[in-house]
Amino acid sequence: MITDLDVHTGGVDALASHTVVLTGSHPEYHSGRILDALEQFRDTGGRIGYLGGNGFYWVTGVLDDEAPVIEIRRGHVGIRTWASEPGETDVVSSWEPGGLWRFRGRAPQRLVGVGMAAQGGDSRLYRIHDDARAAAPWFFEGIAGSVIGDTGFIDGNAAGDKLDRVDADLGTPPGTVVLASSGNHPEGIQRAAEELLQLFHGSASGPNDPDVRADMVWFETPGGGAVFSAGSISYLSSIMADDGDNSSSRALRNVLNRFLA
């Protein structure tokens, strides 16, 4: 087990003895040092499994490495419970602009292929893309049918709570394989505020917006690294459904076998 603080203080050296690094379900807050370390790890042959959603989202400062105080300045946009006061958007730990990494040119898509797209209290299954089996046949070993994640402990499915999707404009790498995607989310699943310039009644909810979805993706880097992203907070809650005998668990097993081969 390696903590965020270990990576913040130790950089890529904290990861260097490992082949594979897996996140938890909701890795939302990261400093620039952590992002630097993960990028270097990935680009020099490391393998990252991003097993959640809403990750790598807020610019996060650390005031003191020895007795850490975590600092967040939420700015004026993003999924948040409070907004910064005028003049209070810079993190004093490093005097960098706070807010979303997306607006610092470091959207999550650049690191793990997907980034925050929508949130709400419901989960759906993933549907396998028609061309995905040919692009990554190893991923589907032991997975019959056309869906992944149709069991789980959050509303019975694996794609929900907060959802991440691909976006080439925000940095999803060329060659990324979208393995499966959720869809048909209900009215209560809404697009993230930072995604939209204007709102119209009903336009940003699950039934009316094709970008309200989770994308499950895979890509490799020129340096021999690789990334698998589940794109959903609910995904990890699904892997132990039916005592682990389910498609979400088999997919993760196939990913780990590929990472460790």
Side-chain angles (χ1 to χ4, degrees), residues 229-254:
S229 293
S232 161
I233 283 180
S234 298
Y235 176 74
L236 273 181
S237 74
S238 72
I239 64 174
M240 288 309 297
D242 299 325
D243 295 323
D245 184 16
N246 61 73
S247 55
S248 296
S249 181
R250 285 190 286 274
L252 182 56
R253 177 201 62 197
N254 293 340

Side-chain angles (χ1 to χ4, degrees), residues 35-92:
L35 298 185
D36 290 344
L38 288 169
E39 286 180 359
Q40 187 175 350
F41 173 77
R42 180 201 66 184
D43 292 344
T44 55
R47 290 81 189 270
I48 297 174
Y50 169 35
L51 304 184
N54 188 219
F56 316 103
Y57 193 60
W58 292 109
V59 176
T60 304
V62 179
L63 288 168
D64 185 342
D65 291 349
E66 301 302 319
V69 174
I70 305 303
E71 180 187 18
I72 308 293
R73 308 277 177 161
R74 294 197 188 273
H76 305 297
V77 71
I79 301 296
R80 64 209 189 280
T81 53
W82 52 271
S84 298
E85 295 293 330
E88 293 288 334
T89 57
D90 289 349
V91 289
V92 300

